[in-house]
């Protein structure tokens, strides 16, 4: 009888693992196929270069729908979306690229405004890019080869 109890427990555990794997596989295929569930007015058939395609939006909507309907407890939609955006930023493998909500970004900009010194370059925002106006003679920027018109990444 002792072995029978272990066998039943092992069978239940194996069934649970198989159920999870089947569910994940089916969900993965559903996501890969895309549900086409694009929010009204959020995408057109010919997205711009910076817009998400209908297929990409469908994939995100499908994942969100799965989380909201299949996850074992209620989720904070904003927290999940912010997590997705943070994951996108982490995928860049760039420690200097971060996502901030508008309020946080505004506070950050205010706190650092006017606090940069020592690089020896005058910069401006041109077409959404930080562009060097000039490098000061004998400055670290000039010694590094920074020239007027260089775009800082």
């Amino acid at each position: 009888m002792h072995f029978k109890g272990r066998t039943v427990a092992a069978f239940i555990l194996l069934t649970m693992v198989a159920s999870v794997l089947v569910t994940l596989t089916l969900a993965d295929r559903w996501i890969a196929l895309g549900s086409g569930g694009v929010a009204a007015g959020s995408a057109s058939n010919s997205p711009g270069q910076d817009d998400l395609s209908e297929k990409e939006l469908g994939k995100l909507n499908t994942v969100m729908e799965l989380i909201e309907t299949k996850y074992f407890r209620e989720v904070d939609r904003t927290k999940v979306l912010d997590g997705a955006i943070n994951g996108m930023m982490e995928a860049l493998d760039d420690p200097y690229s971060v996502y901030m909500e508008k309020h946080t970004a505004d506070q950050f900009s205010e706190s650092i405004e006017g606090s940069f010194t020592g690089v020896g370059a005058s910069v401006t925002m041109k077409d959404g890019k930080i562009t060097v106006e000039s490098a000061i003679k004998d400055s670290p920027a000039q010694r590094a080869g920074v020239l007027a018109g260089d775009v800082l990444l």
Side-chain angles (χ1 to χ4, degrees):
M1 281 301 232
H2 185 67
F3 288 110
K4 187 173 184 177
R6 283 186 181 176
T7 304
V8 170
F11 178 73
I12 291 172
L13 183 60
L14 183 61
T15 304
M16 289 172 57
V17 170
S19 174
V20 169
L21 290 175
V22 167
T23 301
L24 291 175
T25 301
L26 291 175
D28 187 45
R29 287 185 183 194
W30 186 30
I31 290 167
L33 292 174
S35 69
V38 178
S42 65
S44 64
N45 287 337
S46 56
Q49 182 180 1
D50 295 334
D51 296 338
L52 292 173
S53 71
E54 196 168 321
K55 184 177 179 180
E56 291 166 332
L57 284 172
K59 187 174 185 179
L60 292 173
N61 283 329
T62 299
V63 171
M64 193 65 185
E65 182 181 341
L66 283 170
I67 290 169
E68 289 180 325
T69 59
K70 304 295 184 191
Y71 193 63
F72 71 100
R73 63 174 106 137
E74 293 290 316
V75 295
D76 180 343
R77 186 178 178 93
T78 301
K79 189 174 179 180
V80 171
L81 291 172
D82 286 344
I85 294 168
N86 283 318
M88 292 166 71
M89 298 306 292
E90 286 178 23
L92 299 174
D93 284 331
D94 178 9
Y96 305 106
S97 294
V98 295
Y99 165 70
M100 293 182 200
E101 292 182 5
K102 182 173 179 11
H103 178 72
T104 305
D106 289 344
Q107 285 181 334
F108 178 74
S109 293
E110 287 175 21
S111 72
I112 65 168
E113 193 170 307
S115 66
F116 290 105
T117 60
V119 296
S122 174
V123 297
T124 187
M125 188 68 81
K126 185 176 181 181
D127 297 324
K129 298 175 183 171
I130 301 172
T131 307
V132 175
E133 288 182 324
S134 65
I136 299 169
K137 185 177 180 176
D138 295 324
S139 69
Q142 186 184 43
R143 287 192 295 274
V146 175
L147 301 171
D150 285 353
V151 176
L152 303 180
L153 303 176

